[in-house]
Amino acid sequence: MNNFPILTEEQRRDALALSAKTRADRAALKRDLKAGKVTLAEALDDPRALRIPIRQLLMSLPGIGSAKADMIMKAAGIAPNRRVKGVGIRQRQRLIEIFNAGEK
């Protein structure tokens, strides 16, 4: 009982190319974040980040590992499985405050 749409070979190829481009764009954003070319606030506003899990995005920041990312998310009141798209305004502000306080 397969409910997947039947795609032509061309449609399948186009879908694969689009998904590869999307993954490459997200990886580039995370690289820029790690390199300091993009701030956390800018990354949260970037449309490429919408489907990235918050934890993954935080771990792309310099000096933030798994434990720190979990601690920051807990302090900001963000569920472990939340993606950037699902973060509320207050949670977003709290994330930025926490990260900026840690830089000083």
Side-chain angles (χ1 to χ4, degrees):
M1 185 142 191
N2 185 349
N3 292 332
F4 295 117
I6 309 276
L7 300 177
T8 65
E9 193 58 37
E10 183 181 353
Q11 289 172 323
R12 186 174 176 280
R13 211 174 21 257
D14 291 346
L16 288 171
L18 180 61
S19 65
K21 180 187 178 319
T22 301
R23 284 192 304 275
D25 288 347
R26 289 181 192 146
L29 175 64
K30 291 194 293 187
R31 260 193 317 275
D32 289 346
L33 194 57
K34 177 140 320 269
K37 296 177 184 176
V38 176
T39 66
L40 178 59
E42 291 169 339
L44 290 171
D45 288 337
D46 195 310
R48 297 176 293 178
L50 292 177
R51 296 198 40 102
I52 297 175
I54 288 290
R55 187 171 189 274
Q56 247 183 45
L57 193 69
L58 289 174
M59 289 174 55
S60 296
L61 291 164
I64 305 290
S66 179
K68 278 188 186 177
D70 290 341
M71 185 181 69
I72 291 169
M73 288 178 62
K74 187 173 183 175
I78 300 172
N81 61 347
R82 186 66 61 199
R83 295 179 187 269
V84 172
K85 183 179 184 177
V87 172
I89 294 169
R90 288 189 187 104
Q91 291 172 326
R92 181 187 183 285
Q93 289 170 339
R94 184 73 180 124
L95 268 180
I96 294 168
E97 287 170 9
I98 291 168
F99 185 71
N100 288 341
E103 287 184 334
K104 294 176 184 174

